[in-house]
Each structure stands twice: as C-alpha cells, then as structure tokens.
C-alpha cells in the first residue's frame, strides 16, 4: 500500500457521460498529480495541485477539470466522455516542500481504470 | 523541456540471466532521474532515483542504475532476474520541482 488512495478502481460508462475520480494523497503530502496512461500515449501528465492551488498543467483536455480540496484530497472530473478517454488514470502525491535535494519524489496510487463504451 | 527515450519496448530474458534496460534523456540543465516499475494491474512503484552524489544508485529488489552525464543515460541493470521481475519499467526525469516526464516504458518478460 503506497498510502495514495484512488477510487473507484474500475469504472465503465458510456460516451457523452461525466465521471469523477477521487484521490487521497499520502499523509503529509501537499502536492497531487494526475496522470493518464493509455496504450498509444503512454504516461501523460495532466495537472498538478499544491495545497489547493493549481501549480502546473500538462496535456489536459478542456473537457477535463480537477480540484484539490482543503483536506487535500483531489478530484478529476471527466465530461463529454469519448471512446478515446478509456485509460488508466493515476494520482500521485509528493510533499511538495523544498528538501535538501530540491527533488520531487512522487508516490503513485493504484489507479482508476476507465472504460468508455 | 526534457524528454526520455527508452530504447526497447520489450526485453525478453531467461530467469537468472542479467538484464539491462536502457534509458536516455535530453535536457539542457541538470536533472533528477527515476526508475519506476509497474506490475500487472498495479500502480507505479519507485525502484530507485538519482538526485545527486554517487552515479551508481542501488534500488529495491536488487536493481541498480548508473547515471552517465556525458552519455545522458540512466540504464537500469540487474545481475540475475527472477520470474517475479516481469513487469513494465518506466524511466522518468524531472528538473527541480517540475513534474515527472516519463518514457514510453520497457516490458521486461522473464521466462523459465
């Protein structure tokens, strides 16, 4: 158990629908990241939040949005779903604090597998 | 911007043989380097990381990697693999507190 909790583990839905994926970071971590893993695109960074504020944005579609709440859990909202959105969505967390090395070490959750039919 | 190239999409080996998974990165500045492993139907687990100091980094499960700045490489090695090492391995790079950029992954297939 990595300490990063993602729900649901599996989700099957239809095109045009909207889903919400949830992530609880490891205790003490302030940063949350969302990644999408698909066969053709590999691991793509979507978005990062730090202590409730958006810090970095990657290849996130306009149909997707995310937020981080005061208790530091995060939600990724995917709307107007298309077949191509079927993928494994990972959440990761890190302390986000400036350490001795200045490096960012991410801890990943087990992922949420989304299937759009 | 940094990028990562994992030269092999799949590496088949026999049990107890040595293995090397190759990773090259491109960046104009100093970076941090990581290897993650993804077992079937699981999330990514950190194998090892290079942040600074010794260029030979030891990780979990007997893996090690060597940072070579002149070659811009960070190859992963294990002297003797087990069936249980069958998994996908991802090399990743970051700069400071930037997000991780991952390679496409290398599937290690260990057979008896």
């Amino acid at each position: 158990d990595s300490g990063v909790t993602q729900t649901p583990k599996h989700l099957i839905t239809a095109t045009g629908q909207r889903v919400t994926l949830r992530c609880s970071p490891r205790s003490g971590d302030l940063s949350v990241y969302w990644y999408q893993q698909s066969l053709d695109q590999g691991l793509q960074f979507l978005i990062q939040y730090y202590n409730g504020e958006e810090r970095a944005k990657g290849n996130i579609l306009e149909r997707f949005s995310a937020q981080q709440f005061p208790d530091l859990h995060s939600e990724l909202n995917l709307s107007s779903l298309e077949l191509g959105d079927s993928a494994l969505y990972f959440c990761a967390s890190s302390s986000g604090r400036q350490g001795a090395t200045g490096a960012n070490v991410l801890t990943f959750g087990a992922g949420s597998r989304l299937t759009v039919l | 911007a940094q990028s990562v190239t994992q030269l092999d999409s799949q590496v088949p080996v026999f049990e107890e043989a040595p293995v090397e998974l190759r990773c090259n990165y491109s960046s104009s500045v100093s970076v941090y380097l990581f290897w993650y492993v993804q077992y079937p139907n699981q999330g990514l687990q950190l194998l090892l990381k290079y942040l600074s100091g010794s260029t030979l980094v030891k990780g979990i499960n007997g893996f090690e990697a060597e940072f070579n700045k002149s070659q811009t490489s960070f190859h992963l090695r294990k002297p003797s693999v087990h069936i249980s090492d069958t998994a996908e391995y991802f090399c990743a790079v970051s700069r400071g507190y930037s997000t991780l950029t991952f390679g496409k992954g290398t599937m290690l297939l260990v057979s008896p």
Side-chain angles (χ1 to χ4, degrees), chain A residues 31-33 45-50 53-56 104, chain B residues 99:
Chain A
S31 268
V32 170
Y33 306 76
F45 167 66
L46 296 179
I47 198 163
Q48 178 202 356
Y49 281 83
Y50 173 77
E53 293 192 5
E54 183 184 304
R55 177 169 268 190
N104 216 7
Chain B
T99 57

Side-chain angles (χ1 to χ4, degrees), chain A:
Chain A
D1 183 5
S2 68
V4 179
T5 305
Q6 288 189 249
T7 56
K9 284 187 170 35
H10 301 278
L11 192 53
I12 302 173
T13 189
T15 54
Q17 295 298 304
R18 173 190 167 94
V19 299
T20 297
L21 310 180
R22 194 180 192 279
C23 169
S24 293
R26 216 171 45 144
S27 177
D29 284 353
L30 299 179
S31 268
V32 170
Y33 306 76
W34 287 98
Y35 281 82
Q36 179 194 58
Q37 185 181 36
S38 60
L39 282 174
D40 53 343
Q41 296 290 328
L43 270 162
Q44 296 283 314
F45 167 66
L46 296 179
I47 198 163
Q48 178 202 356
Y49 281 83
Y50 173 77
N51 205 19
E53 293 192 5
E54 183 184 304
R55 177 169 268 190
K57 218 167 187 175
N59 301 323
I60 189 165
L61 299 171
E62 283 192 17
R63 300 183 284 109
F64 296 180
S65 64
Q67 54 183 337
Q68 186 179 27
F69 295 86
D71 67 352
L72 301 178
H73 91 271
S74 177
E75 291 181 358
L76 178 67
N77 300 297
L78 316 174
S79 61
S80 302
L81 286 168
E82 302 175 359
L83 296 177
D85 297 327
S86 294
L88 199 48
Y89 291 84
F90 284 110
C91 170
S93 72
S94 74
S95 68
R97 295 182 187 87
Q98 189 78 21
T101 61
N104 216 7
V105 183
L106 272 60
T107 301
F108 282 79
S112 292
R113 183 172 294 281
L114 173 67
T115 303
V116 183
L117 300 176

